[in-house]
């Protein structure tokens, strides 16, 4: 399958070559229109997501070797079919990571991540955004336009993160977590989606945000964001987890009460364990990390807490709202971009992103 793609009408793309292997920047066949609401996009800007690392590590069983990866980005519509009525040739659009038909019973409930005809296809079940061209199915519902005066601006750079990272932090981390004003929350893991959860939390004016990581650079970046005027009424506490004592530190800060909402953003059992340790009575644990291994559910000491747990896919029902906030200057997403590189450098970018050394999000 990997070899079969390197044939006619070549274009560059980034492929999943197999579990445990690095992402491969190579050549495959330029995509063609297949279905009645398809568009072909010339990719302008894309990025790497932590979930791409999970694909390389074998945690996403639906992605097969030979698939072009990447599910975040923006591009120009080069080709379309007649039933694509919301977009025109030449439009620049944000490509949502979730393919949404808008017609099935699941979509009627806004559970777009489980769309009968789509869901998370891009860079998973079909070739994705980390290449020169991409086919986007159901473009009427899976692409978003933005004003022309933002083309080739820093605001456009920030809009790339509306494909997945920002909606995931807001929907799976905060809205599913029943976020309310004045809460104490903890964010376990400050990769890009953890940082996205943090900046989206400002919408709900939390009382305290505890942010936990092993990476001093990311902790300092989060602390810097916490000094923005929009966070004036929120107390930020950074927790360096070098000694694996994050839960103890948070419980000490909260006088053994715990937090209202713990958001797990790293996708490993230890993150889930920390959340169990710090959730208060009546609290909530929201899982948005991609877990490839089982975790221990400590029911013997959790059953009496009357807590709630949620986990699942992003749906993208907040995407337009997030786009609007960025365009209006009310969401500082551009501060999450630490590097800008060429597509031809993407193998190097993967290595940098995986280390997390002085790195947040790579455009």
């Amino acid at each position: 399958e990997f070899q079969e793609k390197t044939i006619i009408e070549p274009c560059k793309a980034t492929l999943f070559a197999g579990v445990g292997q690095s992402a491969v920047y190579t050549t495959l066949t330029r995509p063609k229109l297949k279905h009645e609401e398809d568009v072909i996009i010339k990719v302008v800007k894309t990025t790497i997501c932590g979930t791409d690392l999970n694909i390389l590590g074998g945690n996403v069983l639906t992605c097969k070797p030979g698939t072009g990866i990447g599910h975040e980005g923006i591009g120009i519509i080069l080709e379309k079919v007649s039933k694509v009525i919301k977009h025109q040739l030449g439009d620049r659009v944000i490509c949502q990571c979730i393919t949404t038909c808008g017609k099935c019973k699941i979509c009627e409930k806004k559970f777009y991540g489980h769309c009968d005809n789509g869901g998370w296809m891009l860079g998973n079940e079909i070739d994705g955004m980390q290449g020169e061209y991409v086919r986007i199915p159901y473009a009427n519902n899976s692409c978003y336009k933005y004003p022309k005066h933002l083309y080739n601006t820093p605001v456009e750079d920030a809009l790339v993160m509306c494909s997945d990272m920002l909606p995931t932090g807001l929907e799976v981390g905060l809205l599913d977590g029943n976020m309310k004003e004045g809460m104490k929350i903890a964010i376990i893991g400050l990769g890009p989606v953890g940082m996205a959860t943090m900046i989206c939390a400002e919408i709900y004016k939390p009382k305290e945000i505890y942010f936990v990581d092993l990476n001093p650079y990311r902790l300092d970046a989060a602390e810097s964001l916490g000094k923005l005027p929009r966070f004036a009424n929120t107390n930020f506490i950074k927790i360096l987890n070098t000694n694996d004592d994050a839960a103890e530190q948070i419980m000490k800060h909260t006088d053994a009460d715990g937090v209202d909402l713990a958001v797990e953003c790293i996708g490993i059992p230890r993150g889930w364990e920390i959340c169990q340790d710090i959730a208060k009575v009546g609290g909530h644990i929201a899982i948005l990390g991609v877990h490839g291994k089982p975790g221990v559910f400590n029911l013997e000491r959790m059953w009496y807490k009357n807590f709630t747990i949620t986990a699942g896919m992003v749906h993208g029902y907040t995407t337009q709202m997030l786009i609007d906030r960025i365009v209006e200057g009310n969401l500082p997403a551009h501060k999450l971009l630490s590097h800008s590189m060429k597509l031809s450098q993407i193998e190097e970018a993967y290595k940098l992103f995986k280390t997390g050394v002085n790195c947040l999000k790579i455009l």
Side-chain angles (χ1 to χ4, degrees):
E1 184 177 5
F2 185 88
Q3 294 297 324
E4 288 173 0
K5 287 178 175 284
T6 60
I7 46 178
I8 319 166
E9 296 185 31
C11 68
K12 290 295 185 180
T14 308
L15 299 191
F16 170 46
V19 175
Q21 298 187 51
S22 300
V24 177
Y25 181 63
T26 187
T27 303
L28 52 71
T29 306
R30 176 171 162 167
K32 300 182 183 301
L33 297 169
K34 290 185 177 181
H35 302 300
E36 61 183 17
E37 291 183 45
D38 281 357
V39 296
I40 301 298
I41 298 286
K42 178 178 174 59
V43 178
V44 176
K45 295 172 183 177
T46 187
T47 185
I48 302 171
C49 176
T51 306
D52 296 323
L53 298 183
N54 279 293
I55 289 174
L56 300 181
N59 290 351
V60 181
L61 301 181
T62 47
C63 189
K64 305 303 181 185
T67 303
I69 50 179
H71 52 270
E72 298 178 276
I74 59 176
I76 302 166
I77 296 179
L78 294 186
E79 303 174 50
K80 74 183 188 78
V81 291
S82 58
K83 289 194 176 182
V84 177
I85 57 176
K86 290 186 179 179
H87 310 297
Q88 304 304 318
L89 296 179
D91 284 350
R92 287 200 188 203
V93 292
I94 299 157
C95 301
Q96 183 173 269
C97 70
I98 297 299
T99 298
T100 307
C101 78
K103 302 169 185 175
C104 67
K105 291 182 179 179
I106 295 291
C107 283
E108 288 177 1
K109 299 176 182 179
K110 296 187 177 181
F111 260 47
Y112 306 129
H114 301 281
C115 169
D116 286 340
N117 302 301
W120 179 30
M121 298 176 64
L122 194 60
N124 174 27
E125 297 179 7
I126 64 173
D127 293 333
M129 295 295 297
Q130 291 169 12
E132 294 178 295
Y133 302 95
V134 64
R135 179 178 69 91
I136 304 295
Y138 297 104
N140 285 319
N141 299 303
S142 303
C143 294
Y144 293 81
K145 287 192 285 192
Y146 54 96
K148 290 184 178 180
H149 71 271
L150 298 177
Y151 294 1
N152 301 312
T153 67
V155 175
E156 183 181 67
D157 296 349
L159 290 174
V160 171
M161 290 175 281
C162 291
S163 294
D164 174 24
M165 188 176 86
L166 290 168
T168 296
L170 178 57
E171 295 174 17
V172 185
L174 301 176
L175 294 177
D176 286 358
N178 199 26
M179 179 72 188
K180 289 184 172 57
E181 185 174 339
M183 277 187 169
K184 295 180 181 180
I185 71 172
I187 298 170
I188 314 302
L190 285 177
V193 76
M195 297 287 281
T197 304
M198 194 191 82
I199 64 169
C200 287
E202 179 268 333
I203 299 170
Y204 301 95
K205 299 179 174 57
K207 181 179 180 180
E208 293 179 352
I209 299 180
Y210 297 87
F211 44 102
V212 178
D213 208 286
L214 293 167
N215 186 324
Y217 169 79
R218 289 180 171 176
L219 287 167
D220 290 345
E223 186 177 47
S224 177
L225 280 170
K227 293 177 181 177
L228 294 173
R230 64 183 63 250
F231 284 112
N233 296 318
T234 300
N235 186 27
F236 281 78
I237 303 98
K238 66 178 180 179
I239 305 292
L240 182 62
N241 196 32
T242 305
N243 297 318
D244 197 22
D245 62 349
E248 290 85 348
Q249 291 186 61
I250 290 172
M251 294 305 285
K252 182 177 179 180
H253 277 286
T254 60
D255 294 326
D257 189 32
V259 297
D260 300 288
L261 170 61
V263 186
E264 197 281 331
C265 300
I266 48 179
I268 62 173
R270 185 61 187 129
W272 157 238
E273 291 162 7
I274 292 171
C275 289
Q276 292 181 79
D277 290 339
I278 63 176
K280 70 186 300 183
V281 171
H284 196 119
I285 298 173
I287 304 289
L288 55 78
V290 178
H291 285 258
K293 296 179 180 179
V296 176
F297 200 150
N298 295 301
L299 277 173
E300 78 285 357
R301 58 183 177 81
M302 292 298 290
W303 68 269
Y304 64 89
K305 278 194 174 185
N306 295 94
F307 79 109
T308 303
I309 176 174
T310 53
M313 288 293 296
V314 64
H315 302 299
Y317 60 84
T318 64
T319 300
Q320 187 61 60
M321 181 269 279
L322 290 162
I323 292 169
D324 293 342
R325 289 186 72 87
I326 289 174
V327 171
E328 294 161 2
N330 291 323
L331 192 67
H334 62 285
K335 292 185 176 293
L336 304 185
L337 291 168
S338 59
H339 294 74
S340 180
M341 303 173 74
K342 295 181 182 297
L343 180 63
S344 58
Q345 298 173 293
I346 196 161
E347 292 182 2
E348 177 186 344
Y350 262 94
K351 292 175 183 176
L352 175 62
F353 185 66
K354 186 175 181 179
T355 67
V357 176
N358 298 334
C359 176
L360 290 175
K361 194 75 166 170
I362 303 174
L363 186 67

